[in-house]
Amino acid sequence: MAFADANELLCQIERIGVDAERGGYSRPVFSEPEMELRRWFMRHAERRGLELETDGNGIIWAWWDPAGLGRDGAIATGSHLDSVPGGGNFDGPLGVASALAAVDVLVGRGVKPARALAVAVFPEEEGSRFGIACLGSRLATGVSDPATVHGLTDARGITYDEAARGAGFDPSLIGPDPERLAALGAFVELHVEQGRGLIDLDRPVALAGGIIAHGRWHVRIDGRGDHAGATRMADRQDPVVVAARVIESLREQTLAIDEARGTVGRVQVTPGGTNVIASAVDLWLDVRHRGDAEVRTIVAGVTAAAVAAAEAEGCTVTVTEQSFSPTVDFDAELRDAMASALPGAPVLDTGAGHDAGVLSEVVPSGMLFVRNPSGASHTPAEHAEPADVAAGVVALADVLEHLLTR
Ligand code: HGY
Ligand code: MN
Ligand code: MN
Ligand code: MN
């Protein structure tokens, strides 16, 4: 098996899930593009003699266990293949492609592992289809209750169960997987950096310190639909006016707390006619901060503003938590082991959530970041230079070799 470097692997998927309308890629979980990416991954795993299994949560595990050591104490690496709408080709796939290429490097080095290695692919990391980020790893760790997942619907009203079944999965199998996770000795995820840290440091690769807390809330505002021309201003109950106040309040509350981040990236107006006063608005809050309490303070402030604005407008409003991931400080002992394999590598926190953050509850986890010269992510501009991708593969291989042979 010639070394298939990660750049070459990424080129192979460049035409999958291209979103001509938005630009970039749209690869929602269980959609045809994501299933095609799964098939791409499984083909490359099989070519490397990795033993494949897909578990009840739709997580793919590809095992490299040349000495037949079994799963106990195994090291896992990998990332996700699903994307945000109009996202880039690196967020997720870079970690998966780099993991496959790192196996090639380990084999090429003649490494004799003292424990097995699994390359894992997690579904619905973006939460773009069913609203809960890192859904696969949340189900596996028990953070998400399967009973709350079966009926989740996407923008077209398709339920999680219907989508999973349509993709050939049995949704009745979703749920906690404690034995599998307890057997893992460590999980290391390589990810394109989503920010400017490595640009500013002028370095290709960093270790992760931690992940800031992040949560998502669904805001539903109900008013009274009516005619845009025939309805006097005094007679209106317009939910869009309340939504505008919610969005403004999120900005105000977020700016009031240093280093907080608050975003409304998705607003759905019903019925959505230019000459129609809306009957309802759905919008989603994405709030993040290094402190869990600060996130909750922001959301409490926005909720109070929403209730006041709704009252003034004769509307009703509900704010429902969809998912919350507390601040993560990655396992210090694992990070030290990773650092010993990558002397001098800088340590950066991330504002982006990751499966490694969810898994860190039950498995010692760590991350590697690869420089993204655009500094942007969740857009087609997201990028990693071939030389930095190659440096990331070598760094991951060095870390994995250290963990597999210590
Ligand atoms: O939203 C995030 O932080 C991650 O990219 N899913
Ligand atoms: Mn990602
Ligand atoms: Mn992402
Ligand atoms: Mn991630």
Side-chain angles (χ1 to χ4, degrees):
M1 176 74 218
F3 281 17
D5 74 38
N7 288 295
E8 181 188 315
L9 290 168
L10 287 169
C11 284
Q12 293 170 5
I13 62 171
E14 272 177 347
R15 57 164 182 74
I16 300 175
V18 171
D19 188 324
E21 198 186 315
R22 295 186 179 96
Y25 296 90
S26 292
R27 300 160 167 171
V29 69
F30 301 143
S31 68
E32 182 41 34
E34 199 237 7
M35 296 306 288
E36 194 177 342
L37 288 171
R38 284 170 177 262
R39 292 190 290 271
W40 160 82
F41 171 72
M42 291 192 267
R43 271 197 313 277
H44 279 283
E46 278 167 348
R47 262 187 226 157
R48 287 162 176 79
L50 307 187
E51 189 196 331
L52 279 166
E53 56 170 329
T54 300
D55 69 19
N57 293 312
I59 302 168
I60 307 172
W61 302 86
W63 290 91
W64 182 57
D65 184 11
L69 300 164
R71 308 289 159 86
D72 256 2
I75 304 299
T77 185
S79 192
H80 61 97
L81 294 170
D82 65 298
S83 78
V84 295
N89 191 37
F90 293 85
D91 176 354
L94 179 64
V96 175
S98 300
L100 288 169
V103 169
D104 295 343
V105 173
L106 295 174
V107 170
R109 288 178 182 172
V111 169
K112 298 277 175 281
R115 54 192 64 81
L117 171 69
V119 178
V121 174
F122 293 90
E124 187 64 331
E125 188 275 349
E126 297 295 1
S128 294
R129 185 167 184 183
F130 296 106
I132 297 180
C134 301
L135 184 57
S137 50
R138 283 168 168 272
L139 283 166
T141 53
V143 171
S144 282
D145 173 359
T148 64
V149 171
H150 294 296
L152 290 175
T153 54
D154 67 10
R156 287 182 298 155
I158 297 170
T159 66
Y160 175 91
D161 280 11
E162 288 162 347
R165 238 178 256 119
F169 297 97
D170 176 356
S172 70
L173 300 177
I174 63 174
D177 200 350
E179 288 75 44
R180 182 190 299 275
L181 297 183
L184 294 179
F187 174 69
V188 175
E189 178 172 3
L190 181 144
H191 205 283
V192 66
E193 190 195 355
Q194 295 162 301
R196 301 186 45 83
L198 285 169
I199 300 170
D200 297 343
L201 292 171
D202 191 20
R203 300 288 293 275
V205 173
L207 295 171
I211 302 179
I212 65 174
H214 66 118
R216 294 185 187 186
W217 283 263
H218 171 213
V219 180
R220 168 71 184 203
I221 309 159
D222 286 287
R224 187 174 55 79
D226 210 330
H227 193 291
T231 313
R232 296 183 317 148
M233 295 312 284
D235 299 336
R236 295 181 180 217
Q237 294 158 257
D238 186 345
V240 173
V241 173
V242 178
R245 180 64 201 118
V246 170
I247 295 165
E248 192 184 40
S249 168
L250 177 63
R251 177 56 69 95
E252 290 161 4
Q253 300 285 339
T254 307
L255 288 176
I257 295 183
D258 197 28
E259 280 303 308
R261 287 129 199 215
T263 312
V264 173
R266 185 179 167 208
V267 180
Q268 263 167 226
V269 178
T270 304
T274 305
N275 57 349
V276 178
I277 301 170
S279 56
V281 173
D282 293 280
L283 61 90
W284 285 263
L285 311 178
D286 179 306
V287 184
R288 309 195 191 202
H289 189 271
R290 194 115 195 34
D292 301 2
E294 284 79 351
V295 171
R296 300 226 178 260
T297 301
I298 290 167
V299 175
V302 173
T303 302
V307 169
E311 223 161 274
E313 186 65 24
C315 293
T316 58
V317 64
T318 54
V319 180
T320 313
E321 180 173 307
Q322 276 200 309
S323 66
F324 183 80
S325 297
T327 295
V328 169
D329 288 304
F330 282 119
D331 183 280
E333 198 221 317
L334 173 61
R335 191 172 57 246
D336 291 347
M338 293 170 68
S340 68
L342 301 176
V347 178
L348 292 175
D349 279 353
T350 176
H354 298 284
D355 292 301
V358 176
L359 286 174
S360 68
E361 292 286 314
V362 293
V363 182
S365 296
M367 292 190 76
L368 291 175
F369 296 125
V370 172
R371 176 167 43 192
N372 168 354
S374 77
S377 183
H378 287 183
T379 87
E382 172 184 290
H383 184 68
E385 290 297 324
D388 287 348
V389 168
V393 169
V394 171
L396 180 60
D398 290 348
V399 164
L400 293 176
E401 179 173 358
H402 178 77
L403 297 175
L404 288 167
T405 57
R406 64 176 178 168

